[in-house]
Amino acid sequence: MVSTGGEDALKRARTALASGRLTLARDILEDHVHLHRDAEAFKMLGEIRHRIGDLPGAGAAWFATSAKGPIVDEAVSAWRTKHDDDFAAMWATIPASARRGELTPKLAALKARAEAAAPSPEPSPSLSPSPDPSPAPASTARAKAPKKVAPELAATAPPVAVPQARAADPVRAPRTDEAAADRSVPEAQSGFDAAKVIAWVLAALFVVCAVVGLITILQWLVPGT
């Protein structure tokens, strides 16, 4: 049933249409169907949009009605092509009054597809789970692990550097030379004693030779002795 306001809107739209003012008739009907769910106004709006050349707009208006026929199918196809079967966008172009209240099977199916295609809302940051504090002790234990290992390695490490330092100690070299010098002293002393003995022997021989020579000389000087 069409209200008195609806009859007035349809009358004014027909008057504008009869005088050839298609744009005015369209605007009157669009304002009317935005607030009032009027099937007759939907059909007239589709016809006027079709006459203007707005096939997608005519398809959106006729989709809210039970209108059928080749012209309606052509307009609905143009409507779907324009929005590339984006059901959310197609649902938004249906007259506002047709999207409220009880829906026809076609409109109910379109609404369901539009809602299914809509992106899901992002979760609120306040509902996000708090981070698990349990990894903190593990990381702390791993951080302290090297401090415990270092003393154990230091305690079990072999004293490699100490023998090398003693082997290469330059202070012991003079002691070795002193020992060699001490060992060479008896040899030098023994050599000195042998020379002294030889000297005494030579001296004794010299004395003997001197005595023998002296005796010989005396015999020459004193004959008969």
Side-chain angles (χ1 to χ4, degrees):
M1 181 178 180
V2 181
S3 63
T4 306
E7 293 178 351
D8 182 62
L10 292 175
K11 182 178 180 180
R12 288 187 294 113
R14 290 191 182 97
T15 301
L17 186 59
S19 62
R21 293 181 292 179
L22 300 178
T23 303
L24 178 58
R26 181 198 62 189
D27 293 342
I28 293 172
L29 293 174
E30 287 180 350
D31 292 340
H32 174 62
V33 298
H34 183 74
L35 300 175
H36 304 281
R37 190 169 184 176
D38 188 343
E40 187 176 355
F42 293 155
K43 291 180 181 180
M44 185 178 296
L45 178 60
E47 294 172 358
I48 295 174
R49 285 177 174 176
H50 187 270
R51 290 178 61 179
I52 293 175
D54 182 10
L55 293 183
W62 279 331
F63 192 81
T65 69
S66 59
K68 296 180 181 180
I71 297 176
V72 175
D73 294 341
E74 180 185 7
V76 171
S77 178
W79 172 54
R80 296 185 60 175
T81 301
K82 178 182 178 180
H83 298 287
D84 195 20
D85 280 345
D86 185 346
F87 300 113
M90 292 168 62
W91 173 254
T93 60
I94 299 294
S97 60
R99 288 178 280 155
R100 295 191 296 265
E102 185 178 357
L103 302 178
T104 63
K106 292 191 300 183
L107 291 177
L110 177 59
K111 181 181 179 181
R113 293 190 178 186
E115 292 177 349
S120 58
E122 298 181 358
S124 174
S126 60
L127 299 180
S128 59
S130 58
D132 187 6
S134 57
S139 60
T140 305
R142 289 195 297 270
K144 293 182 179 179
K147 296 183 180 179
K148 296 181 179 180
V149 174
E152 296 176 359
L153 295 177
T156 57
V160 178
V162 175
Q164 292 180 354
R166 293 180 178 177
D169 189 0
V171 180
R172 299 181 62 86
R175 296 179 181 179
T176 304
D177 296 339
E178 292 175 1
D182 295 339
R183 289 193 299 269
S184 64
V185 170
E187 296 178 358
Q189 292 177 354
S190 61
F192 176 77
D193 293 339
K196 188 174 181 180
V197 171
I198 293 172
W200 280 105
V201 171
L202 290 176
L205 290 175
F206 180 76
V207 172
V208 171
C209 291
V211 172
V212 172
L214 180 60
I215 293 173
T216 301
I217 292 172
L218 289 176
Q219 288 179 353
W220 286 349
L221 294 176
V222 182
T225 57

